[in-house]
Amino acid sequence: MTKTYPALVALALAFCATTASAEKIKFDYWYGLSGDLGAVLAQTCDRFNASQDKYEAVCTGYDGYELVVQSAIAAFRAGKAPALLQSFDAGTADLMMSGQFYAVTQMMKDFKIDINWDDYFPGIADYYSSSKGEMFSMPFNSSTAVMYYNTDDLASVNMPVPATWEEFGNTLKALKAKNPSKCAYGYEPSVWVDLEQYSAINNVALATNNNGYDGLDTKLVYNTTSAVKHMEDIKGWLDAGLAEMKVSAGGMNSQEAFSQNICSFFFGSIANHSSLNLKHADNLHWDVGMIPTEKAGERHNSVVGGASLWVLAGKSEDEYRGVAEYLKFISTPDSIKFWVSNTGYIPVTKSAFDQLTKDGFYAAAPYKGRETAIASLTATEPGPLNRGFRLGSMIQLRAEWLSDVQAALAGQMTVQAAYDQSVERGNAMLEKFAKTYAGKTLP
Amino acid sequence: MRRAYFKNNWVAGLMVAPQLIIVFTFFYFPTSQALYWAFTLEQPWGGGNTWVGFDNFRTILEDPYYWSSIWVSVVYAVGSTVLAVGMALTLAIFADRQLAGYKLYKVGMIWPYAIAAPAVGLAFRFIFTPGAGIMMFVNQLFPHLWNPVDDGNQAMAMVIVAGAWKQVAYNFIFFLAGLQSIPRSLIEAGAMDGARVLRRMRDIQLPLLAPTFFFVLVINITDSFTDSFGIVDTMTAGGPSRATNLMVYKIFNDGFQGLDYSGAAAQSIILMLLVIALTFVQFRYIERKVHYT
């Protein structure tokens, strides 16, 4: 023990010396991406720090968005919050209501950094904007849901890529008739794909008040739209053996089932594109398509997923200047290209996308197919029903949906009853959320 | 019995102060905070709260799924405790008999307790996967027998086994220590009087083990109510359709993930009262039957 002590002191001194000599202005940045994606995010910090002699981003990764938001809240209450926080869609409503942030548009204006806000894809910008159109947080890792399909299997039954859910059902039947032992569709209940994206793409309401954008007294209405029929279709496919449950609790999720050439279809985020590329069975040939629509030719834009960067309130001007520099840095075409080529995310600005397309980025593997996500996001100009969802208690709303859908799929209740129940329970949560912020209005 | 005591209360106070400060900082202070939140609607990012009286408790107790969550927690507590205590006792009795190789076995039995709950959950998820390994074989013999993805009871059984497996090691240590503190002469005397192994176990070892048994029981019950969420989180995430939504997992879900601080605080208070009540009942009614030597 006594021998290690001087060594420790020396180490501590050395540490102090290095931190003192740097003398850069530091700001904290907490993010929720983990694994490979988290590693790439850490690299963007290193790239920024290498390009800077004035500011330094101190980046800390957490295991998941829920955890990073929760930790940031705890730190914020203790006055030790990071300056920059990566937060996900479900955390948006609470952050907006709290007002404890520095709107990025305002910040860039205050520091006279010129950013062309019109360059952002409207589907992305609208998700992170107030009801008046002011962008509150910086779009960063953006994705949307797409349909992954096995090209060989589709060719074996001479079917085109299904464009409507009806065609999708027929394709499943054909696939099953051709090869009864193969799983045609590995299904995993996902509120994001089965309800949120479905409602946006088919332009049906998920909740009143234009999906919650116009006020806190919002009620869910998805039990009255064609979303019910869509869920009944899925249950029908499962019951008929055309689709099979592939979830982690059963040992294999739907992405693994697709990548190992066990199931022919998989619905998920475009962010999975890179991991599918890196890891899939040798005999699997696959491509990406847009999620089918309910009626032929009536497609609206899908909604953006992923997360955005929030600047939190209560920091010094120096720190904010550093954050502004960082945000400027990640908006450069070079940084965007680094980010999208090393992850499966999509570029958030039109000019970056155009540039990448011109450079032939999307023309060949391994990036070919990702442009489908942009096509899906920009299928139409986002209207009131496809801007996104501004709902409080979103995590719990999603959990209620899942619990009731699981009950319906196990045959304990009908799909309609499950949707009615989760809407009723969700409305009670929305009411409680509105009461928590009594007297305040959504910005 | 003679007791040693301090004549000067100030010195005594000073001695226990560090411990008291720790207890106050890490137990009473958070508890009082939770108690306050339970009666208000708390905004997660600060910025104020509104007093709502018993509204949070009313909402929770009127929710039929909250009652099912209590029921599920009780099933888990009883199931995992019976399994963990029973298995540990059996194993400890064998280890105590000093059969061949018992030393290796003793060390091996203690290891599982060092494994974090989520890791246990992950390991058992692989073991109980219907599509591979042992359970796939079972499913081939009896098609559609095992499917914890859809079947809530099977999911619960799976979680209980994983939870009990982790707890067995802990109980084992205490039971073995308890058994080894029983004087050998008593057992040898019994043997000389012609009592066989089972008889000696029933009439000598088990009665003398009663204090240990009681301690282990209290710890297991408490632990199964408060420390089970790591396993649930990795194995079932509370599903399918709320079948394994234990009270403590629901608190984690609502509070830490859903940012419903007030609802989660109210649930914590209810859980705390329940655990206190259970412990009280155990001390009041079961401890009476325990004789300390």
Side-chain angles (χ1 to χ4, degrees):
Chain A
M1 279 306 273
T2 44
K3 269 185 188 163
T4 54
Y5 189 66
L8 278 177
V9 171
L11 199 70
L13 282 174
F15 184 69
C16 290
T18 51
T19 48
S21 67
E23 277 183 26
K24 282 184 183 174
I25 296 167
K26 290 182 182 173
F27 64 90
D28 281 308
Y29 169 25
W30 291 2
Y31 58 90
L33 283 177
S34 56
D36 295 342
L37 296 174
V40 180
L41 203 153
Q43 284 177 42
T44 69
C45 289
D46 296 342
R47 282 162 55 92
F48 170 75
N49 290 337
S51 76
Q52 274 288 331
D53 49 9
K54 228 177 142 192
Y55 302 101
E56 187 182 340
V58 182
C59 302
T60 313
Y62 286 79
D63 191 11
Y65 295 134
E66 284 103 344
L67 195 62
V68 75
V69 170
Q70 172 64 27
S71 308
I73 287 176
F76 184 83
R77 288 169 151 260
K80 294 188 165 55
L84 192 60
L85 169 70
Q86 184 192 31
S87 174
F88 61 149
D89 50 2
T92 306
D94 268 307
L95 251 171
M96 279 198 174
M97 292 307 299
S98 75
Q100 304 292 1
F101 58 89
Y102 192 174
V104 284
T105 38
Q106 187 61 43
M107 183 173 84
M108 292 314 205
K109 203 155 75 184
D110 290 349
F111 292 125
K112 301 199 170 51
I113 292 176
D114 197 28
I115 294 219
N116 181 7
W117 300 108
D118 293 333
D119 193 22
Y120 285 84
F121 284 110
I124 296 174
D126 284 1
Y127 204 103
Y128 303 112
S129 299
S130 70
S131 52
K132 288 155 203 82
E134 188 192 2
M135 208 142 101
F136 280 164
S137 63
M138 194 77 170
F140 177 53
N141 54 318
S142 294
S143 66
T144 194
V146 290
M147 171 177 74
Y148 295 90
Y149 59 91
N150 185 319
T151 49
D152 294 342
D153 289 351
L154 219 53
S156 75
V157 290
N158 271 325
M159 295 279 247
V161 181
T164 65
W165 285 111
E166 200 187 338
E167 286 174 34
F168 182 77
N170 292 334
T171 310
L172 292 185
K173 280 184 205 134
L175 285 170
K176 208 66 195 174
K178 177 91 183 171
N179 187 357
S181 65
K182 184 162 184 177
C183 150
Y185 173 22
Y187 176 72
E188 182 167 14
S190 160
V191 65
W192 189 56
V193 176
D194 301 333
L195 181 62
E196 295 174 20
Q197 297 290 358
Y198 176 90
S199 298
I201 290 170
N202 295 293
N203 206 33
V204 295
L206 192 135
T208 58
N209 277 336
N210 289 326
N211 289 334
Y213 272 69
D214 296 348
L216 284 181
D217 54 342
T218 301
K219 296 256 179 282
L220 300 173
V221 293
Y222 63 76
N223 59 333
T224 61
T225 69
S226 60
V228 181
K229 181 195 158 282
H230 177 55
M231 200 65 226
E232 283 166 352
D233 285 346
I234 293 175
K235 182 166 160 46
W237 297 328
L238 282 164
D239 291 347
L242 299 173
E244 291 171 29
M245 277 286 240
K246 293 287 177 205
V247 297
S248 299
M252 182 184 278
N253 64 30
S254 53
Q255 183 184 339
E256 287 158 353
F258 179 78
S259 69
Q260 292 174 27
N261 206 358
I262 293 170
C263 298
S264 309
F265 279 102
F266 157 60
F267 288 80
S269 165
I270 191 67
N272 298 339
H273 194 278
S274 70
S275 53
L276 274 172
N277 250 322
L278 290 173
K279 211 171 76 181
H280 64 79
D282 292 336
N283 57 355
L284 174 72
H285 300 102
W286 57 286
D287 207 343
V288 188
M290 284 192 259
I291 294 183
T293 57
E294 199 57 58
K295 293 183 197 122
E298 284 185 34
R299 175 182 295 282
H300 290 259
N301 65 288
S302 57
V303 289
V304 65
S308 65
L309 304 182
W310 288 80
V311 186
L312 297 182
K315 293 291 168 185
S316 70
E317 201 190 313
D318 277 345
E319 281 171 286
Y320 283 140
R321 201 167 275 284
V323 172
E325 286 296 331
Y326 177 76
L327 294 182
K328 186 179 148 195
F329 176 81
I330 60 162
S331 311
T332 58
D334 185 44
S335 293
I336 292 181
K337 188 172 179 183
F338 173 82
W339 178 244
V340 300
S341 54
N342 286 292
T343 65
Y345 290 109
I346 53 177
V348 288
T349 60
K350 294 174 205 159
S351 58
F353 177 62
D354 292 343
Q355 187 61 45
L356 285 167
T357 314
K358 214 170 12 168
D359 294 350
F361 181 80
Y362 292 109
Y367 308 115
K368 187 176 168 295
R370 291 192 198 173
E371 71 283 0
T372 308
I374 298 282
S376 172
L377 263 178
T378 56
T380 50
E381 281 292 307
L385 297 182
N386 4 69
R387 263 184 303 183
F389 311 99
R390 189 63 31 89
L391 302 170
S393 317
M394 206 154 173
I395 297 270
Q396 287 143 297
L397 298 182
R398 287 173 167 173
E400 290 296 330
W401 178 90
L402 181 64
S403 294
D404 289 330
V405 163
Q406 282 172 339
L409 295 183
Q412 294 162 17
M413 53 168 90
T414 63
V415 169
Q416 183 67 54
Y419 268 39
D420 288 347
Q421 176 168 303
S422 66
V423 161
E424 192 193 324
R425 294 174 64 81
N427 282 339
M429 287 168 184
L430 286 175
E431 229 168 82
K432 188 174 172 188
F433 183 81
K435 245 198 250 170
T436 307
Y437 293 101
K440 290 192 180 178
T441 49
L442 259 174
Chain B
M1 194 188 283
R2 277 181 47 176
R3 285 170 190 271
Y5 59 91
F6 285 100
K7 287 202 177 82
N8 186 338
N9 279 332
W10 282 108
V11 176
L14 216 61
M15 296 290 201
V16 293
Q19 182 65 28
L20 282 182
I21 289 170
I22 289 174
V23 171
F24 268 93
T25 331
F26 293 106
F27 182 71
Y28 288 106
F29 175 65
T31 311
S32 66
Q33 197 75 7
L35 195 63
Y36 175 61
W37 283 0
F39 289 97
T40 60
L41 284 176
E42 174 76 16
Q43 300 177 12
W45 287 88
N49 51 29
T50 10
W51 183 265
V52 291
F54 281 94
D55 267 11
N56 289 323
F57 291 96
R58 202 171 299 133
T59 318
I60 291 166
L61 295 175
E62 276 173 2
D63 180 357
Y65 285 122
Y66 188 69
W67 288 97
S68 85
S69 172
I70 296 181
W71 168 243
V72 162
S73 305
V74 170
V75 171
Y76 175 82
V78 172
S80 66
T81 303
V82 167
L83 199 59
V85 171
M87 286 302 294
L89 189 60
T90 315
L91 294 168
I93 286 172
F94 277 113
D96 188 53
R97 290 208 63 210
Q98 309 193 342
L99 304 174
Y102 83 100
K103 275 188 177 154
L104 262 178
Y105 168 77
K106 209 162 70 180
V107 175
M109 271 311 300
I110 293 168
W111 278 340
Y113 194 63
I115 301 174
V120 174
L122 212 59
F124 273 91
R125 205 170 87 188
F126 283 115
I127 294 172
F128 286 123
T129 291
I134 303 174
M135 293 328 261
M136 185 171 175
F137 176 69
V138 171
N139 270 349
Q140 264 169 1
L141 290 182
F142 311 96
H144 306 296
L145 179 73
W146 178 254
N147 187 12
V149 178
D150 276 343
D151 190 318
N153 294 331
Q154 293 183 355
M156 178 48 100
M158 186 167 90
V159 174
I160 286 178
V161 170
W165 183 82
K166 180 172 160 52
Q167 208 59 28
V168 162
Y170 180 81
N171 298 347
F172 173 81
I173 301 170
F174 281 92
F175 281 135
L176 189 62
L179 284 169
Q180 294 192 336
S181 68
I182 295 172
R184 286 283 137 191
S185 56
L186 283 179
I187 293 162
E188 281 158 11
M192 284 166 80
D193 286 345
R196 305 294 300 267
V197 176
L198 282 176
R199 183 71 196 263
R200 297 200 299 264
M201 200 192 297
R202 204 179 69 208
D203 286 349
I204 302 174
Q205 289 176 308
L206 290 187
L208 286 171
L209 206 56
T212 314
F213 192 84
F214 178 68
F215 168 80
V216 164
L217 188 73
V218 173
I219 294 288
N220 272 254
I221 296 264
T222 314
D223 202 76
S224 61
F225 271 102
T226 56
D227 196 30
S228 43
F229 94 93
I231 286 174
V232 173
D233 193 36
T234 44
M235 289 184 85
T236 62
S241 48
R242 307 182 180 89
T244 54
N245 202 9
L246 304 184
M247 291 166 83
V248 66
Y249 187 68
K250 195 168 154 51
I251 291 171
F252 163 76
N253 237 349
D254 289 356
F256 287 81
Q257 305 209 289
L259 304 182
D260 175 12
Y261 285 17
S262 303
Q267 291 176 42
S268 312
I269 300 294
I270 296 176
L271 178 62
M272 191 176 78
L273 293 178
L274 189 76
V275 172
I276 291 175
L278 270 174
T279 312
F280 176 78
V281 166
Q282 292 177 72
F283 272 93
R284 186 82 177 70
Y285 296 103
I286 302 180
E287 203 194 13
R288 277 189 185 172
K289 300 196 165 66
V290 173
H291 301 283
Y292 296 96
T293 43

